[in-house]
Amino acid sequence: MLGIGYKEVLAYLQGDCSLVDTIEIIQKNTRHLAKRQLTWFRRYDKMFWLNISEYDDDNAALEAMFAWVDPKL
C-alpha cells in the first residue's frame, strides 16, 4: 500500500475527495517520483542513457542495450 495511487484511491473510495482530485493528486505524485528518480540516476556516473528516438525501431534500441551490457554479443 506504499505505491503511488493506493492511498489516493482509498481516500476517494472513502469519500474524502472527488475522482478528479484523485486523478490530479496521482499525476502530481507520479511526476514528483519521476523527478526524484532522475535526480538519483544523474548522480550515478555509470548510467547508460538510451534515447529511444535516436533508433529506427525497437530492435535497434535493444541491440544497443545488449551491446552495452555485454559487448561480446
Side-chain angles (χ1 to χ4, degrees):
M1 294 292 290
L2 297 176
I4 293 175
Y6 286 104
K7 66 181 175 184
E8 293 85 359
V9 169
L10 185 60
Y12 167 71
L13 293 174
Q14 292 174 342
D16 295 337
C17 61
S18 70
L19 180 60
V20 172
D21 290 340
T22 300
I23 292 169
E24 288 175 0
I25 293 168
I26 291 171
Q27 289 173 338
K28 178 189 71 163
N29 291 343
T30 301
R31 284 191 303 271
H32 289 175
L33 174 63
K35 186 173 180 174
R36 286 192 309 271
Q37 288 174 331
L38 282 173
T39 299
W40 187 88
F41 281 123
R42 284 189 186 116
R43 286 188 258 157
Y44 185 62
D45 58 342
K46 293 183 181 179
M47 180 58 56
F48 175 67
W49 292 98
L50 181 75
N51 185 349
I52 197 76
S53 66
E54 294 176 359
Y55 297 92
D56 295 332
D57 58 27
D58 293 342
N59 288 331
L62 281 171
E63 288 177 18
M65 285 187 278
F66 289 137
W68 182 79
V69 171
D70 188 357
K72 294 178 270 178
L73 290 178

